[in-house]
Amino acid sequence: MAHVIHIVAYDKDGVIGIKDKLPFTLPEDLASFKMLTDGSLICMGFNTYASIVKNYMAGKTEFSPDRKVAVACSDNAKAKARNIANTYSNVTFFSEESLRQLISRNRDAVIVVGGNSLYKRFNPSLIIATEVESDVPAGTPIEDIFTYPVFNSLKDYKRLVTQEGTSSNGLKFKRVLYVN
């Protein structure tokens, strides 16, 4: 199987999403993501893809330019995928089993970028994490909160902090590598 890398940003409790949006905005993290994934195969679940299209793609003609994007679809999501116009030439929809086969045959590293269920399915040998000092807004329904499923297992990885800083919008963060 190919070398699997997770790229993830989460708050101090491991939260990666609230409803269908990111729980915080870090312009520096988005720039880092672009640099880290340029020219790579990135994999995401259908719900993550649909969320990005809905929330961040208005008026844009390219989806993650300079990358190959594989979107995993469950049987239910396949039907929904037909309803989302795939106008992005670098995006391909796969069944979950086909995606697993693609990853196992790929010689280069495969980068999983979300969401929760895809992170669960593909165990990483490397995690590139951005840990953000942020909290979920009080009163957020628990069913709207998505956490990084590997969060409680991070103690099993070697941890290396590569950068600490404050984002241009005032959020403190750490960029951390976890190696298995």
Side-chain angles (χ1 to χ4, degrees):
M1 183 177 254
H3 181 65
V4 175
I5 299 169
H6 286 187
I7 295 182
V8 62
Y10 49 76
D11 76 3
K12 63 183 186 163
D13 296 316
V15 175
I16 60 173
I18 299 174
K19 264 202 173 228
D20 65 347
K21 293 186 179 176
L22 296 170
F24 39 76
T25 302
L26 286 175
E28 296 82 357
D29 195 47
L30 295 175
S32 176
F33 176 84
K34 182 177 178 356
M35 188 242 347
L36 289 167
T37 61
D38 233 11
S40 299
L41 170 62
I42 61 172
C43 301
M44 65 184 67
F46 176 78
N47 290 336
T48 299
Y49 172 77
S51 171
I52 292 169
V53 169
K54 175 185 169 190
N55 295 307
Y56 307 104
M57 294 301 297
K60 296 182 181 172
T61 58
E62 293 184 275
F63 188 94
S64 293
D66 303 320
R67 292 156 201 81
K68 292 174 260 168
V69 181
V71 178
C73 297
S74 65
D75 290 337
N76 290 339
K78 282 184 213 174
K80 292 178 187 175
R82 291 185 194 101
N83 296 328
I84 294 182
N86 187 9
T87 58
Y88 310 110
S89 62
N90 62 330
V91 176
T92 306
F93 295 97
F94 291 88
S95 70
E96 291 177 8
E97 181 54 35
S98 294
L99 182 62
R100 183 173 296 288
Q101 291 174 14
L102 172 72
I103 289 174
S104 70
R105 290 192 312 255
N106 202 345
R107 290 184 206 149
D108 297 326
V110 174
I111 302 171
V112 176
V113 299
N116 185 290
S117 62
L118 209 59
Y119 283 135
K120 285 180 191 174
R121 283 185 180 78
F122 296 100
N123 194 28
S125 54
L126 174 66
I127 301 167
I128 303 171
T130 302
E131 299 174 344
V132 182
E133 288 187 26
S134 177
D135 291 309
V136 172
T140 302
I142 193 77
E143 63 271 9
D144 291 347
I145 299 172
F146 295 92
T147 58
Y148 181 52
V150 182
F151 186 70
N152 292 325
S153 302
L154 292 176
K155 64 186 177 309
D156 299 332
Y157 288 78
K158 293 178 184 166
R159 182 176 196 265
L160 173 66
V161 177
T162 61
Q163 178 185 6
E164 293 185 55
T166 302
S167 177
S168 59
N169 61 6
L171 289 174
K172 292 185 180 187
F173 68 92
K174 290 180 185 172
R175 194 136 311 114
V176 183
L177 298 178
Y178 289 93
V179 181
N180 192 357

